[in-house]
Amino acid sequence: MEDRSHRNSSRSTPEPFWQRLPSITFYPVRGAALYALIALTLCTLLGLLPGIGWILAIVVWVGVYRYAFEILRETANGRLAAPENTLYSSDGTVIRLLAMMILMGIFVVVVAAFLGPIIGLAALAAVVFLQPGCVISLAMDGSLRAALNPATPITLAVRIGWPYLAVFLLLFVIQASALTAGKWLHAVMPPIIGDLVLTFFSIWGLFATFHLLGYMVYQYHDVLGFEPEGAPQPLSRNAPDQVLLDEAEHFVRDGHPEAAMDALRVAVRSRAVGLPVHELYHRLLRRKGVSDALREHGRQYITRLLAEKEERQAMQVLRELLETDPDFAPADPEQASTLAERARLSGQLQLQLDAQLAMLKAWPRAPLAPQWAVQAALLLAERYSRDDEARALLEDALGRCEDPEQRRKLEAAQRALSPHLA
């Protein structure tokens, strides 16, 4: 069952949340989320009405949390666009969310009142740490009882591991940053405008927080036992692929991975198979360890992924192969350059560096080799402070380069890294 569920969600592996932080931060000011953010901010002005203003304010903030919770659920289900037309649709979960937050607050107050402020502060810290897990639990099954059970968020945190702590800290950073920006602008603006600005940034932080929680559920849905409704579906399988996958999974379940690999190897080498077959074969080869078969299939798998426009998954496969085999390079320099450039553009600089170093070993006289050497050398020196390796890399590239223009670039980089040569 584990292999099947993994395969069903692996057509496009979710990008790690730490690589999407800019997108997560600015999620509330894009698409439908921006319109909801502006509308809800303006609606808070209803709280100024005499008599019924406090009632309208409560209604508006219920709407804020309702939309935030819809953001979490939509994101957890793999739908990364902001939800539309959901302000007035709910299955009652948002009421349970508010009830959960109120009960948590009451718990902290009661503990502080009966056991003293120090114990109360410890209770507050525990509640704040467990709250993301409680919200995630409520989003996945809608059960308030399960969400309030401390064992539930603790279990979720253990399953997710260190990323849970990272997300916990990021929630503080996002909300503190939004609140700080709002307060700073509030202090320099007229009263009502300042209040609106403060509210705008507070809701921004809330929406970004719930989007981050939802994305963590989407990224770790396998270990959480959650099946995203809108996750990308695997490529359609023809009958031979399905029979082959079932046979291979049967061998794996019975403790015969070698037999599964033999069956998959024959199919991969003899006919065109779908990505699920490649994915399973690749995973079994990785478990076995570094081998010629892993390198050979890795090149084939990356070629197929790029042909299917699955560049993100191809980068993930490249990263996995480089971790076990630092000299691994894709099938040809064009593919390698494409993935190294995508890694650079997405901020995955370690992957870019590892790929370019392997590319220089595989194709030292390729037309683009001097460019790879310059980029890799600058990364080595500026980001990782490995100046000696950077200079050696440039010196080696200069020894092979015959193009005058490329030589000038290499020499310029060499001078930048060796001031005494300037």
Side-chain angles (χ1 to χ4, degrees):
M1 290 297 294
E2 179 183 350
D3 286 335
R4 185 181 297 276
S5 64
H6 180 88
R7 191 176 69 247
N8 287 341
S9 62
S10 63
R11 182 181 187 266
S12 182
T13 301
E15 185 179 12
F17 69 84
W18 53 86
Q19 294 175 10
R20 288 182 51 87
L21 291 182
S23 176
I24 290 171
T25 302
F26 291 101
Y27 174 91
V29 291
R30 296 192 181 110
L34 175 60
Y35 300 126
L37 176 58
I38 294 173
L40 290 166
T41 300
L42 294 175
C43 284
T44 59
L45 291 174
L46 297 174
L48 300 176
L49 293 176
I52 62 170
W54 65 275
I55 298 177
L56 296 176
I58 291 175
V59 172
V60 170
W61 279 101
V62 168
V64 170
Y65 276 92
R66 178 178 294 171
Y67 191 80
F69 200 77
E70 289 297 331
I71 287 175
L72 191 158
R73 290 203 292 195
E74 287 289 296
T75 307
N77 280 302
R79 297 184 285 266
L80 303 186
E84 299 181 7
N85 303 321
T86 58
L87 287 176
Y88 304 102
S89 62
S90 174
D91 57 3
T93 309
V94 69
I95 303 301
R96 291 191 284 274
L97 170 66
L98 295 174
M100 182 184 74
M101 296 173 66
I102 292 171
L103 290 172
M104 286 179 169
I106 293 174
F107 169 75
V108 173
V109 171
V110 170
V111 169
F114 285 93
L115 300 179
I118 296 180
I119 302 299
L121 187 61
L124 176 62
V127 165
V128 170
F129 178 74
L130 296 177
Q131 191 177 54
C134 296
V135 174
I136 288 173
S137 172
L138 192 63
M140 289 195 300
D141 60 24
S143 172
L144 179 59
R145 179 180 297 180
L148 287 173
N149 183 350
T152 301
I154 291 173
T155 300
L156 293 178
V158 170
R159 287 182 180 179
I160 294 173
W162 69 264
Y164 182 92
L165 179 60
V167 167
F168 167 71
L169 297 174
L170 278 171
L171 297 181
F172 275 102
V173 172
I174 291 173
Q175 295 203 7
S177 300
L179 190 59
T180 301
K183 286 186 174 180
W184 182 82
L185 291 171
H186 178 269
V188 298
M189 290 184 170
I192 294 180
I193 302 299
D195 291 341
L196 284 175
V197 169
L198 181 58
T199 302
F200 180 88
F201 278 97
S202 298
I203 298 176
W204 180 334
L206 185 67
F207 285 1
T209 294
F210 275 64
H211 179 54
L212 174 58
L213 287 175
Y215 194 84
M216 185 168 69
V217 175
Y218 179 47
Q219 181 181 342
Y220 294 99
H221 64 270
D222 280 340
V223 297
L224 296 176
F226 177 74
E227 187 65 30
E229 297 173 1
Q233 297 300 312
L235 294 178
S236 58
R237 304 176 193 153
N238 54 36
D241 276 4
Q242 186 60 65
V243 172
L244 173 64
L245 288 166
D246 289 342
E247 178 186 11
E249 288 174 353
H250 177 75
F251 282 133
V252 172
R253 286 194 299 270
D254 288 350
H256 303 294
E258 292 289 344
M261 285 190 288
D262 288 341
L264 293 169
R265 184 183 302 113
V266 171
V268 167
R269 291 180 176 179
S270 62
R271 63 181 177 86
V273 296
L275 287 181
V277 175
H278 283 290
E279 191 277 335
L280 179 57
Y281 186 40
H282 172 73
R283 187 149 42 91
L284 292 173
L285 287 172
R286 282 194 67 214
R287 288 180 185 175
K288 183 179 179 181
V290 179
S291 66
D292 292 338
L294 178 60
R295 297 187 192 94
E296 177 187 353
H297 178 255
R299 296 186 178 99
Q300 185 180 0
Y301 189 16
I302 288 175
T303 298
R304 180 63 187 274
L305 286 167
L306 291 176
E308 298 286 348
K309 308 299 183 183
E310 295 285 352
E311 292 182 351
R312 185 178 300 172
Q313 181 67 11
M315 289 167 59
Q316 176 63 29
V317 172
L318 178 61
R319 180 188 295 107
E320 293 170 353
L321 289 165
L322 286 169
E323 287 174 355
T324 56
D325 181 7
D327 293 337
F328 174 83
D332 60 59
E334 183 178 352
Q335 290 181 359
S337 293
T338 297
L339 293 177
E341 180 63 12
R342 292 295 182 272
R344 184 187 70 82
L345 292 174
S346 62
Q348 301 180 56
L349 301 184
Q350 184 63 59
L351 176 59
Q352 175 196 346
L353 175 61
D354 293 343
Q356 288 176 332
L357 292 176
M359 290 153 60
L360 287 167
K361 290 182 180 179
W363 306 290
R365 296 189 179 277
L368 291 178
Q371 178 181 327
W372 303 337
V374 170
Q375 292 177 345
L378 293 178
L379 273 177
L380 283 168
E382 295 175 359
R383 188 172 181 85
Y384 302 104
S385 301
R386 293 155 61 182
D387 293 9
D388 292 340
E389 292 179 53
R391 285 191 285 267
L393 192 65
L394 292 172
E395 186 67 31
D396 187 58
L398 272 169
R400 293 190 177 93
C401 183
E402 298 178 356
D403 181 83
E405 181 62 26
Q406 297 280 22
R407 288 189 64 85
R408 281 194 291 272
K409 293 180 180 179
L410 288 167
E411 289 167 353
Q414 193 177 48
R415 288 193 296 272
L417 297 180
S418 303
H420 64 278
L421 296 178

